[in-house]
Each structure stands twice: as structure tokens, then as C-alpha cells.
Amino acid sequence: MKYLKTIRQVVAALSIAAVTLLFLDFTGTAHAWLGWMAKIQFLPALLALNVGVIAGLVVLTLLFGRLYCSVICPLGIMQDGFGMLGKKAKRNRYGYSVAKNALRYTMLVLMALAIVCGIGVFVALFAPYSAYGRIAQSLLAPVWACGNNLLAGWAEAHDSYAFYTVDVWLRGGVTLGVAVVTLVALGILAWRNGRTYCNTICPVGTVLGFLSRFSLLRPVIDTTKCNGCGLCARNCKAACINSKEHSIDYSRCVTCFDCINKCHKGAISYTFRRTAVAAPSDHAAAMMTDGKKADTSRRQFLAVTATMAAAAAVKAQEKTVDGGLAVIEDKKIPERATRIVPPGAVSLDNLAHHCTACQLCVSACPNGVLRPSTDLETLMQPESSYERGYCRPECTRCSEVCPTGAIVQLTKAEKASTQIGHAVWVKENCVPLTDGVECGNCARHCPTGAIQMVESVEGDETSPKIPVVNTERCIGCGACENLCPSRPFSAIYVEGLERHRIV
């Protein structure tokens, strides 16, 4: 029994390391081996209508309690890390508190409504896996990339090219700010009070908390051995042990096994529900109280779960090259009437209703195309822009890693024929007309042959040649926009489509 906590900690450490690596790895190797770790997260699986994963997590909770929150959810594991630091500063600092059920179920209802109505900002801010993803992508990934570049430089100095350098750049200032605020807020809460966020705000914790009331295995207090010292309650980071009444609120217990290890009398054991021993004098009152609580919570849960099920069913520094002889002005992002979203997103509406803004696709994009949106309606959800690169027709990385179904997985053939936008020519910026030089970069690099160069003056073969776009063949990859030499704005740019189509 004493080894349960150690086993949990080892599994949790491996779990958070695997999830973190998904956001740090830029080679694609981690996703090939560990991509399933993102797909077994509760809310992404729910949005993707992954029935197998959801059923597995429900069974896991009904058998072992909220083990998901302690060994699978990276945000929960991260909070345990801050809690351990707090323990070193002050021991036995926790205490029992009454469950804030009104706040918990209110947040759950709001999350369900946000999913139904496609309010991505709310979903993104309070989805636990996505909150951790932003922290890893915004704060840890740049450090990882810098370490890799140092290693690559050292290897090159020793005539080895086993490593290669990568660009380190800020993908989104707003996302970075949200990640910093989230980290600081959760760090302080966990350092001082343990799992406050998980048991008051987190909608996933509320759903699993209700299920854990009926778990087969659970921590049980044997009142014949308990001496009432309260050591278990003072070390319970979920604040769910009432040592005076010898009771445990199983809806908030995250199955961390701390209480078992702290009890010197062996009065707490992780055992079957039916073996619970209650104090004789309090048994009837405890049964009546638990019955009333369960009945009330059951009605609340069923109403909210129905809404959640309906929600899931309804909406299941820029790089330039000129030989190093001149300073080249950075490109600026054009004003697009319709934003561009990744191939596989199907439509703007589909992305808005399924994306939790975890930034996994942004981290995985090898071409520097995806970055978080700064628009309030789609805040932190991925969108494409072509200042650093273009969306290569053969690349399907973003669709391979998305755990929520916001970006449907595509084959290379499907990706190459999916139109996410079309090119638009801007006469005032085109260098053959402004500078009197030959160009044709856009036509040469168009992978679908959608751009042709024609005389600017019809019938005059000596006139400068300008591009003409066949919008029926253009897939919106952005090669033309990215490689256009015009500065600061490209003479050709991509307008997005609200709904993607096959060309």
C-alpha cells in the first residue's frame, strides 16, 4: 500500500514528460511514438467524439477514482510539482474545506454552452490540456530550441552534423501572455492550496469528480484505528478529508495516495468501497447526508452531461535572402478579408467549434506557417500566414497531431488538392511595374501551375509581364506570397475561404 504513491509519481512523471515532448520536438519523431498521449486527454477526446477513449476514461474513473487527474492530465501533474515545492516551504499546511459545488457546476455549464455556441475563447482558456500546451509551446519550446542550436553549433565545430539549427521566434505575443498568467496563477494556487483549480474551476475535474463518487476503489478511513490527529487532512492537497467526521469527499479526491503515506496508524487504505468502516454513532447521519448530496449532485450532473453530450454531437522575425549584400525590409502581414486556416480544418466554423487552442499544431508545423490568432473571437486558435514560409502540399503534420478533430487527418494527395484560399494580385506592389524589372517568382514556384505570366499590355510583347491567377487551380498554399520580392507587402497574397473545397 505504501508503494502506491511512488508508482503514481513515476507514471505521472513519464506522462508529463511524454506530453511535453510533443510540444518541444520539431523533428516529428515524438509524434510518431507518443502522439496518442494527446488523443487520450478527456476534452480533446470528447470534441473528437472518440467514443473508445471516453469510455476508457469513464471506466478508469469508476474503477480507481480520479486517477486521470493525477497521472494523465499534464496540468494536474504540473500543479502537483508546485505543490511539492510548497511542502518543502511549509509542511502540513493544507486543511479541509467545503466543496464549492455552485462554482464547479456553473463552470461546467458555461463550458458546455461555449462548446455548443462555438465560443472558442472560453473553451481555450479553461481546457486543462490546452492550458498546459500553451505553457509548453510558449515558454519551454524556445528554451529547447536554443539548447538544440547550441548543441548543433558545438557539433559543427567538431565536424559533426548530427544536429541542425532551427529558428527561434515568437509565434504569438497574446498566447505568450496568457501562458505566463496561467503559469503564475496556477503556480501560486498550487503552492499555497494544492488542487484548488482542479476542484473549483476545471470542467473536466467536475465531470470526473461526479463519476469518482461511485468508484470501486477509494481511500477509506478505518475509525477503529484513527486517533483523530488530522495529519491526513493537513496533507490532502484536494482539501477533501474531514478528519473530525472521518469522511472523504470523493468528488474532489484525486487519488494521489498522500494521505495513506502520511497516516502513521495505518487507518487509511485504498480498498473496495463496500469495506468502508464508519463510526457507529455517526453512521446513520453520514448515510443520510451522503444520500442527499449524491441525489442533488446526480440531478445536476445529468443535466450538465446532457448539455455536454449535445455539444459534442452538434459540433463534434522574418527570414529573407539576397546574398547578404543589402538590408532587406521585413514583410508585413496583409489585411485579409477572410483568415486562412489549415487544410483539414474543413471550415472556419468547424475549427471554431472543435479547437481548444492547445498549440500542438503550431508547434508541429515545420514551415513556420501556423501561429495563434489574435482576434478575440478565435483567440489563440491556429491560422496561416506566409511571412516565414508556405504550406507545402506534401506536408500533413498539423492534421496528424490534432487531438480534437478540429483538423481532420489528410493524406498527402488530399492535402495537395484541398483549397484553403486563393491568390490575389496587387498591381501597385508588383516589381515589374514599379521597378521595371523581370520577376515571375510567383509563377515559377506555384506548385499547382495556377499562376501564368502575361504581357501587362495586351498584344505588346515588350511590355513587362505580370501574373494572372487561375483561382480554380490555386490551393492557397502561399508559395507566391512568401517568395514575392516586393516589400513590405507582397504583390500577391492569399485570401482565405470560409469553407475549404477540393480542386
Side-chain angles (χ1 to χ4, degrees):
M1 195 70 72
K2 294 291 185 181
Y3 295 107
L4 288 176
K5 179 180 177 180
T6 302
I7 294 172
R8 180 194 63 80
Q9 288 178 327
V10 171
V11 175
L14 293 175
S15 177
I16 194 172
V19 173
T20 304
L21 192 58
L22 293 178
F23 291 91
L24 304 185
D25 176 52
F26 46 80
T27 66
T29 305
H31 292 284
W33 292 94
L34 303 171
W36 58 273
M37 286 296 300
K39 291 179 170 58
I40 65 170
Q41 303 298 322
F42 188 88
L43 191 56
L46 180 65
L47 292 173
L49 296 179
N50 194 331
V51 177
V53 171
I54 294 298
L57 294 178
V58 168
V59 171
L60 178 72
T61 306
L62 290 175
L63 288 177
F64 304 107
R66 283 175 61 181
L67 206 58
Y68 170 90
C69 299
S70 289
V71 300
I72 297 179
C73 177
L75 196 71
I77 300 170
M78 183 192 75
Q79 291 177 78
D80 284 348
F82 284 114
M84 291 176 65
L85 295 176
K87 282 185 179 180
K88 292 182 179 180
K90 182 180 179 182
R91 296 180 182 276
N92 304 324
R93 70 191 193 285
Y94 300 131
Y96 173 75
S97 63
V98 178
K100 298 175 176 58
N101 287 329
L103 177 59
R104 296 168 74 185
Y105 285 104
T106 297
M107 289 300 299
L108 183 57
V109 170
L110 291 176
M111 175 63 80
L113 292 175
I115 293 173
V116 171
C117 301
I119 306 175
V121 177
F122 190 90
V123 177
L125 288 175
F126 296 104
Y129 163 74
S130 298
Y132 181 80
R134 289 189 292 272
I135 293 171
Q137 189 272 324
S138 301
L139 303 177
L140 301 182
V143 177
W144 179 272
C146 288
N148 169 82
N149 291 348
L150 290 174
L151 187 59
W154 177 86
E156 184 179 354
H158 291 78
D159 297 323
S160 172
Y161 295 92
F163 303 92
Y164 59 89
T165 59
V166 295
D167 289 340
V168 181
W169 57 290
L170 179 62
R171 288 174 170 82
V174 174
T175 303
L176 174 63
V178 171
V180 170
V181 171
T182 302
L183 180 65
V184 172
L186 291 183
I188 293 175
L189 280 175
W191 188 83
R192 291 172 58 89
N193 304 308
R195 289 295 192 103
T196 301
Y197 175 85
C198 300
N199 285 328
T200 55
I201 302 296
C202 180
V204 174
T206 301
V207 172
L208 297 181
F210 175 82
L211 294 175
S212 66
R213 291 174 181 268
F214 313 104
S215 61
L216 184 63
L217 293 168
R218 55 173 60 182
V220 175
I221 300 175
D222 186 345
T223 55
T224 62
K225 297 180 180 179
C226 178
N227 63 0
C229 68
L231 193 60
C232 55
R234 295 199 300 273
N235 285 275
C236 178
K237 58 195 171 191
C240 67
I241 300 179
N242 187 341
S243 57
K244 293 182 179 180
E245 298 183 5
H246 303 94
S247 63
I248 300 176
D249 182 353
Y250 294 110
S251 73
R252 290 185 289 160
C253 176
V254 293
T255 321
C256 64
F257 307 119
D258 286 355
C259 56
I260 296 175
N261 282 38
K262 286 295 180 180
C263 183
H264 302 312
K265 300 296 182 180
I268 304 180
S269 59
Y270 186 63
T271 185
F272 291 102
R273 181 174 51 187
R274 63 176 179 270
T275 61
V277 179
S281 58
D282 297 335
H283 181 73
M287 288 293 289
M288 290 177 63
T289 303
D290 287 347
K292 290 179 181 178
K293 288 182 179 179
D295 186 60
T296 303
S297 298
R298 186 177 292 108
R299 288 195 298 269
Q300 292 174 327
F301 176 78
L302 290 175
V304 172
T305 302
T307 310
M308 289 287 285
V314 174
K315 301 291 181 185
Q317 332 282 100
E318 316 304 342
K319 208 174 192 181
T320 54
V321 178
D322 74 333
L325 300 177
V327 176
I328 295 184
E329 189 176 3
D330 290 340
K331 279 197 174 187
K332 293 184 179 179
I333 300 174
E335 292 186 11
R336 310 183 202 272
T338 304
R339 70 192 191 103
I340 311 169
V341 295
V346 182
S347 67
L348 301 184
D349 186 65
N350 179 72
L351 187 72
H353 282 78
H354 288 84
C355 180
T356 61
C358 71
Q359 309 303 307
L360 190 55
C361 59
V362 175
S363 299
C365 179
N367 305 310
V369 169
L370 295 182
R371 68 278 315 270
S373 169
T374 56
D375 186 73
L376 183 60
E377 288 187 29
T378 58
L379 189 65
M380 299 183 292
Q381 293 183 355
E383 62 183 19
S384 301
S385 199
Y386 303 122
E387 292 71 55
R388 303 185 66 88
Y390 65 94
C391 190
R392 299 182 182 273
E394 72 278 5
C395 177
T396 59
R397 288 276 291 279
C398 59
S399 72
E400 293 169 359
V401 303
C402 179
T404 66
I407 306 176
V408 180
Q409 187 165 355
L410 302 175
T411 64
K412 291 182 179 181
E414 290 171 334
K415 163 68 183 295
S417 60
T418 299
Q419 186 183 55
I420 62 175
H422 60 83
V424 178
W425 178 57
V426 182
K427 178 180 179 180
E428 293 76 14
N429 297 340
C430 196
V431 293
L433 299 180
T434 59
D435 299 346
V437 298
E438 292 186 7
C439 182
N441 253 15
C442 52
R444 279 194 300 273
H445 293 94
C446 179
T448 64
I451 302 176
Q452 301 294 324
M453 300 300 292
V454 301
E455 295 88 355
S456 56
V457 178
E458 188 176 355
D460 184 359
E461 295 183 358
T462 62
S463 63
K465 293 187 182 299
I466 58 174
V468 173
V469 180
N470 182 347
T471 56
E472 294 301 314
R473 296 185 64 178
C474 176
I475 59 174
C477 68
C480 55
E481 179 180 330
N482 174 249
L483 297 169
C484 177
S486 176
R487 296 292 188 279
F489 292 103
S490 293
I492 192 165
Y493 73 96
V494 178
E495 271 292 350
L497 294 179
E498 290 191 5
R499 176 170 288 276
H500 298 172
R501 69 186 190 91
I502 302 299
V503 297

